[in-house]
């Protein structure tokens, strides 16, 4: 294994993508004393504003990629839709983690499901819809009611349409622009979970505790850790499966695996993210190593001791809707003072200037000595902000 990158005041780590995940990566890297560079086309990017240097260029810009490689000792990504080709180009001249091949699997729902099957990890029954003939394939009835999902570029419930019946399928596919899709059976979910694992270049594997997630309108709304409604054995199984998925891709970096806990109590893998994940944000305030610390350490080939959660935590996502004052009215600032008066509240705002509905503007994590207290304070915070109870 190559020797570790040590923070000596000069060593620079790079990240492709300038969103909030990149911003928190930059914070973690800077805390350890690394310099940081962000490549993102957006002049107003949350990570670009925090990094030592912001390269403002498209992800496939050859000059920008060459400059990123020359400035950095290693490069990672914060955004799974960054073209795998950009990672491949970089890898010719600088260590890149995760590798382009692993990112390519996570970018494509079909490749991802094939990887689940290869790794003997259960996933929802599915079929591919990529041509007119596929609409008439026998066996689709067993997948209905289902959800049609574009194989690429979906996030936060975008690129998905419910398909209640066979008749609705062609229209649903047209709605999605006849892009290659997977039709997935809609499962009866008890709970949604996720697990974050970090795997080093030497194969060392550590994990964060299992998170329980509540989505609203396809977007993560609340994460609770420890997961209140998940049996310990199920949580252990989720960690085992996530570790197996990472190892079978020879993955280096932070990987998040989303699971469904279905009505019969079994676990079904939903999707993977080749990077830190919204459901792991609580780890910044509630664990002795956050998902971003783990991302820095895997990239720099530094040691990976097992993270420990020192506080119970509840994370609430703060979407742009909170800023909406009414039709035609200018955005208002939510009542942060009321929220910050509550004990154990850690407010994280990403520095985005345009609070569009559904846009992730920030999150808050409530930490407490026990889960009941964390939940009680999080419910108070939600009430202050006009968010629904959970
Ligand atoms: P995204 O990339 O937008 O996160 P997901 O595939 O994770 O897409 O779907 C978003 C949410 O939609 C999930 O967290 C879950 O609440 C719901 N969902 C997705 N697929 C299914 C399914 N097969 N059965 C039931 N619910 C689903
Ligand atoms: Mg998801």
């Amino acid at each position: 294994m190559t020797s570790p990158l040590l923070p000596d005041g000069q060593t620079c780590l790079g990240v492709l993508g300038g969103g909030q995940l990149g911003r928190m990566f930059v914070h973690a890297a800077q805390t350890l004393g690394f310099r940081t560079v962000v490549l993102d086309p957006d002049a107003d990017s949350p990570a670009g504003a925090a990094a030592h240097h912001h390269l403002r260029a498209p992800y496939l810009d050859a000059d920008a990629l060459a400059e990123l490689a020359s400035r950095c000792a290693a490069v990672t990504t914060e955004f799974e839709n960054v073209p795998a080709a950009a990672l491949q180009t970089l890898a010719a001249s600088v260590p890149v983690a995760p590798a382009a091949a692993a990112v390519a699997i996570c970018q494509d729902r079909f490749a991802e499901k094939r990887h689940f099957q290869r790794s003997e990890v259960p996933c929802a029954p599915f079929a591919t819809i990529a041509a007119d003939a596929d609409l008439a394939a026998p066996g689709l009835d067993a997948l209905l009611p289902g959800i049609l999902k574009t194989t690429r570029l979906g996030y936060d419930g975008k690129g998905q349409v419910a398909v209640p019946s066979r008749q609705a399928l062609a229209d649903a596919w047209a709605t999605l622009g006849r892009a290659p899709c997977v039709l997935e059976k809609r499962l009866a979910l008890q709970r949604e979970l996720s697990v974050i694992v970090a795997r080093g270049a030497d194969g060392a594997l550590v994990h964060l505790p299992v998170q329980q997630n509540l989505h609203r309108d396809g977007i993560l709304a609340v994460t609770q850790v420890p997961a209140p409604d998940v049996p310990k054995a199920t949580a252990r199984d989720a960690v085992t499966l996530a570790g197996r998925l990472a190892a079978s891709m020879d993955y280096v970096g932070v990987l998040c695996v989303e699971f469904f806990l279905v009505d019969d109590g079994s676990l079904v893998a939903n999707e993977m993210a080749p990077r830190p994940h919204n459901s792991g944000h609580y780890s910044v305030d509630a664990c002795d190593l956050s998902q971003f610390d783990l991302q820095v350490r895997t990239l720099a080939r530094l040691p990976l001791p097992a993270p420990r959660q020192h506080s119970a935590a509840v994370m609430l996502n703060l979407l742009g809707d909170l800023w909406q004052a009414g039709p035609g009215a200018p955005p208002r600032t939510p009542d942060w003072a009321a929220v910050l008066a509550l004990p154990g509240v850690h407010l994280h705002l990403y520095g985005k200037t345009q609070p569009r509905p559904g846009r992730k503007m920030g999150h808050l994590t409530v930490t407490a000595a026990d889960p009941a207290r964390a939940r009680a304070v999080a419910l108070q915070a939600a009430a202050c902000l006009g968010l629904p109870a959970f």
Side-chain angles (χ1 to χ4, degrees):
M1 185 181 123
T2 348
S3 54
L5 299 172
L6 296 173
D8 57 5
Q10 298 303 313
T11 306
C12 187
L13 301 179
V15 59
L16 283 165
Q20 60 269 17
L21 299 171
R23 181 180 174 94
M24 289 183 268
F25 168 81
V26 162
H27 290 156
Q30 290 177 343
T31 299
L32 264 190
F34 289 106
R35 295 184 67 79
T36 51
V37 180
V38 165
L39 173 61
D40 187 286
D42 181 2
D44 205 19
S45 93
H52 292 86
H53 189 73
H54 177 190
L55 285 166
R56 278 178 211 113
Y59 297 121
L60 287 169
D61 183 293
D63 292 341
L65 289 173
E67 184 174 350
L68 186 65
S70 75
R71 281 175 176 266
C72 293
V75 177
T76 188
T77 173
E78 63 110 43
F79 173 48
E80 74 251 52
N81 291 329
V82 82
L87 292 171
Q88 221 153 17
T89 305
L90 286 168
S93 43
V94 65
V96 169
V103 174
I105 292 173
C106 303
Q107 279 177 340
D108 182 302
R109 288 188 194 276
F110 182 58
E112 188 171 59
K113 286 178 191 302
R114 267 201 320 230
H115 183 69
F116 291 152
Q117 292 173 328
R118 240 189 342 255
S119 309
E120 296 183 359
V121 171
C123 65
F126 69 97
T128 50
I129 305 290
D132 282 317
D134 296 332
L135 298 172
L140 291 191
D141 289 335
L143 302 176
L144 298 172
I147 305 175
L148 191 65
K149 304 180 179 182
T150 56
T151 57
R152 301 180 71 84
L153 301 175
Y155 70 100
D156 289 345
K158 295 183 176 65
Q160 300 193 10
V161 180
V163 183
S165 64
R166 189 87 187 208
Q167 294 72 17
L169 180 57
D171 283 349
W173 194 42
T175 305
L176 294 172
R178 297 166 59 87
C181 285
V182 294
L183 175 64
E184 204 178 288
K185 187 176 172 62
R186 181 179 286 282
L187 303 175
L189 310 186
Q190 256 185 54
R191 297 286 161 200
E192 294 194 56
L193 322 177
S194 58
V195 183
I196 287 159
V197 296
R199 189 168 181 274
D202 60 353
L205 189 75
V206 297
H207 65 91
L208 290 172
V210 171
Q211 296 108 213
Q212 180 171 315
N213 303 321
L214 172 70
H215 292 79
R216 295 192 186 112
D217 300 326
I219 307 179
L220 181 65
V222 182
T223 295
Q224 299 183 75
V225 201
D229 303 308
V230 178
K232 282 201 166 53
T234 306
R236 261 198 313 271
D237 288 349
V239 170
T240 304
L241 296 177
R244 194 192 298 164
L245 288 168
S248 54
M249 287 189 283
D250 203 11
Y251 191 86
V252 178
V254 169
L255 179 77
C256 178
V257 184
E258 293 180 17
F259 290 97
F260 298 140
L261 179 56
V262 294
D263 264 1
D264 68 2
S266 65
L267 278 173
V268 169
N270 173 30
E271 59 172 355
M272 303 185 288
R275 51 166 174 78
H277 191 261
N278 196 166
S279 63
H281 289 355
Y282 76 94
S283 60
V284 171
D285 302 302
C287 297
D288 59 5
L289 283 172
S290 74
Q291 59 173 347
F292 304 102
D293 296 328
L294 296 172
Q295 188 182 23
V296 171
R297 284 174 180 242
T298 51
L299 184 62
R301 305 182 290 275
L302 290 166
L304 282 181
R308 184 181 70 88
Q309 184 180 7
H310 51 69
S311 301
V314 177
M315 193 259 348
L316 304 180
N317 253 350
L318 305 173
L319 304 181
D321 310 64
L322 285 183
W323 276 252
Q324 308 306 311
R332 61 164 178 222
T333 302
D335 189 357
W336 301 134
V339 166
L340 290 170
L342 297 170
V345 166
H346 309 263
L347 178 63
H348 298 255
L349 294 171
Y350 308 143
K352 297 181 184 177
T353 50
Q354 304 292 323
R356 288 189 296 275
R359 188 171 195 213
K360 291 175 177 169
M361 300 296 290
H363 69 272
L364 67 82
T365 301
V366 178
T367 55
D370 63 79
R373 180 79 191 137
R375 179 159 185 274
V377 176
L379 285 168
Q380 282 179 280
C384 283
L385 294 169
L387 291 169
F390 52 89

